[in-house]
Amino acid sequence: MCGMNAVRSPMAETLARAVLPASTFIASAGVRAGERDPFVDAVLAEAGLSLEEHQSKTLEDLEDDYFDLIVTLAPEAHHAALELTRSIAVDVEYWPTADPTTVTGTREQILDAYRDVRDRLKARIAQRFIT
């Protein structure tokens, strides 16, 4: 879960789907819905992955309201998840993740910021769920 379900959380969802069993329910959401980001598509394609038909969604848009774990990637999302879990028993983990949309510079510098987020999320997912 992140702020707008446009960059970090859909990237994390795609990376997790690539390594976790197909029987694992994985869904990304944001505090608000955002617009699809072409830089996310570019850096996932470099890793042989795709968002496919991903549409930005909020937590309320998810069909299933039962989760074992909510991973938050931004402070705003973390606060929203903690508020949600006041009434349901769900573990919440905060993985502070930089927002690459704030990086300016050349196209390559911006892509490097998105690659860094991709690589850090991939490592964190592996550390948490694989090893």
Side-chain angles (χ1 to χ4, degrees), residues 45-61:
E46 290 174 353
L49 300 170
S50 169
L51 288 178
E52 297 177 4
E53 298 302 317
H54 173 79
Q55 297 292 320
S56 180
K57 53 194 161 300
T58 65
L59 195 55
E60 292 79 29
D61 294 332

Side-chain angles (χ1 to χ4, degrees), residues 31-93:
V31 175
R32 297 172 312 285
E35 305 253 341
R36 188 160 177 160
D37 187 315
F39 287 114
V40 173
D41 291 313
V43 300
L44 286 176
E46 290 174 353
L49 300 170
S50 169
L51 288 178
E52 297 177 4
E53 298 302 317
H54 173 79
Q55 297 292 320
S56 180
K57 53 194 161 300
T58 65
L59 195 55
E60 292 79 29
D61 294 332
L62 297 177
E63 294 175 17
D64 189 351
D65 62 356
Y66 178 77
F67 307 97
D68 294 317
L69 174 67
I70 298 173
V71 175
T72 61
L73 306 173
E76 179 182 25
H78 190 66
H79 293 299
L82 291 176
E83 185 63 32
L84 171 74
T85 59
R86 293 174 84 187
S87 60
I88 58 175
V90 176
D91 290 332
V92 177
E93 291 183 15

